[in-house]
Amino acid sequence: MPAFRIAPAVAAAFPDTLIALVTATGLRGHEPWPHTTAALEDLEQQLADATWHPADESDPRIEAWHTAYRFFGTNPRRIRPSVDALGRRLAKKGTLPRINPTVDSYNAVSVRHGLPSGAFDLDHVTGDVDIRYADGSEEFTPLGEPDTVENPRPGEIIYADTTGVLTRHWNHRDAHRTRVTENSTHVAFVLETLHATRDGDLLKVAAEELQGLLAPHTAQMAVYYLSPAQPQATV
């Protein structure tokens, strides 16, 4: 089973980081997920009614990621953190994308709580996963672009296994190899904050909400928390 690790240099640079790692085994992605459908529709209706709006870059939760991106050399207004891009899309279009029930579930939780979220098909992860600075030699194939190969900039924070990069710019974009589809049965989900002191409780609520959406459609779940104090979890 793979271990997920926060590298010491990343932990030192971002000492208030907290990452919820939710694993699900035996996922059934081909059946209807009515609770996920309702969660998406509820967010869209609240936006239409002007009773809620997604967090934008003026929100401290998003601003923290903009600051982090600038720290490792990424322009966050050109290459946006995933939750920022998702919230902007919702605000502009009035709807969230429908990808598949598993992806839709973490997207709904992410945009509701203003926290970046992603997922990896663990059957396509090789070895352990490190959240670390890139050295520039790694290879990344972006989601939806299986014939494209990129190299992250040296110093960019990435998720990487022994084969290559799983996400660029910490949480901007996932890799094609470990994408989650309707056929994915063993998945690791991540929810992230850089300010556990302020938003740690919110992160735990979000992780519980995600587990609630997954529970009717999976055989087994577990949740782990990564932080500079506890930088590794084996899933």
Side-chain angles (χ1 to χ4, degrees), residues 53-66 113-115 198-199 202:
H53 64 84
D56 59 25
E57 61 188 76
S58 67
D59 187 287
R61 292 167 293 177
I62 307 299
E63 189 277 331
W65 287 104
H66 279 228
H113 296 286
L115 300 169
R198 183 189 66 212
D199 295 328
L202 178 66

Side-chain angles (χ1 to χ4, degrees), residues 19-198:
I19 298 172
L21 184 63
V22 178
T23 60
T25 304
L27 277 166
R28 301 183 297 276
H30 287 279
E31 64 190 24
W33 290 40
H35 296 296
T36 293
T37 300
L40 294 169
E41 293 175 348
D42 179 61
L43 288 174
E44 292 164 352
Q45 189 60 55
Q46 289 183 55
L47 178 65
D49 293 341
T51 59
W52 171 86
H53 64 84
D56 59 25
E57 61 188 76
S58 67
D59 187 287
R61 292 167 293 177
I62 307 299
E63 189 277 331
W65 287 104
H66 279 228
T67 299
Y69 272 41
R70 293 187 186 99
F71 176 83
F72 56 76
T74 296
N75 181 343
R77 290 183 173 169
R78 185 172 63 86
I79 297 172
R80 290 186 178 270
S82 62
V83 64
D84 186 17
L86 188 64
R88 286 170 64 87
R89 176 171 176 166
L90 174 58
K92 181 178 180 179
K93 295 181 177 294
T95 60
L96 285 165
R98 269 55 168 185
I99 309 299
N100 62 62
T102 309
V103 173
D104 296 349
S105 294
Y106 75 73
N107 277 346
V109 172
S110 175
V111 76
R112 180 187 297 278
H113 296 286
L115 300 169
S117 184
F120 311 111
D121 186 326
L122 289 172
D123 289 333
H124 296 282
V125 170
T126 57
D128 295 335
V129 178
D130 290 290
I131 305 165
R132 61 175 176 81
Y133 289 103
D135 62 26
S137 68
E138 303 90 350
E139 293 187 346
F140 174 74
T141 296
L143 179 65
E145 300 180 32
D147 298 322
T148 299
V149 177
E150 301 174 354
N151 300 106
R153 293 175 56 259
E156 180 184 315
I157 293 180
I158 58 174
Y159 278 70
D161 65 7
T162 57
T163 296
V165 178
L166 307 185
T167 67
R168 284 198 64 185
H169 309 281
W170 197 319
N171 51 33
H172 165 67
R173 192 170 186 186
D174 291 343
H176 191 76
R177 169 169 55 95
T178 53
R179 69 193 184 281
V180 174
T181 72
E182 294 92 339
N183 297 321
S184 300
T185 60
H186 189 199
V187 175
F189 302 83
V190 293
L191 288 153
E192 304 165 322
T193 179
L194 295 174
H195 286 281
T197 304
R198 183 189 66 212

